[in-house]
Amino acid sequence: QWGSWWHDAINQPRKVTDDIFIGGQPSETDLSAIKAKGFHSVINLKSPSEESILKPEEERVRTGELGLDYINIPVTKKP
């Protein structure tokens, strides 16, 4: 149970393995909470054209400021 630290009650992070969690798009506040919870990396699977709280470049900068590794692997549909 993650409690109220995550902004989006519907897309709460879920444990996949002891080292991997998945969740919805984090806000800036969520990124700080992710760091405080002991996470080391953020992997963003959204494409640049998708609507998001933070654009990939903004998320990369913010995670870097927090000392988190950031990887963007845009996943898109085939045309």
Side-chain angles (χ1 to χ4, degrees):
Q1 181 69 11
W2 290 90
S4 60
W5 70 272
W6 192 260
H7 83 278
D8 184 349
I10 295 172
N11 293 307
Q12 291 281 310
R14 290 179 287 282
K15 183 177 180 178
V16 176
T17 70
D18 286 342
D19 297 320
I20 299 174
F21 287 72
I22 60 171
Q25 171 74 41
S27 67
E28 274 195 65
T29 303
D30 295 332
L31 291 174
S32 296
I34 286 168
K35 177 68 175 181
K37 292 280 187 183
F39 290 91
H40 303 283
S41 305
V42 172
I43 301 173
N44 179 355
L45 302 177
K46 287 188 165 196
S47 69
S49 62
E50 284 184 79
E51 185 178 323
S52 62
I53 297 168
L54 296 170
K55 299 288 183 209
E57 181 60 22
E58 295 170 325
E59 193 170 61
R60 184 192 65 74
V61 168
R62 183 66 182 127
T63 54
E65 291 170 349
L66 292 167
L68 293 164
D69 293 325
Y70 178 78
I71 301 165
N72 182 218
I73 305 170
V75 176
T76 59
K77 292 184 195 177
K78 281 189 170 184

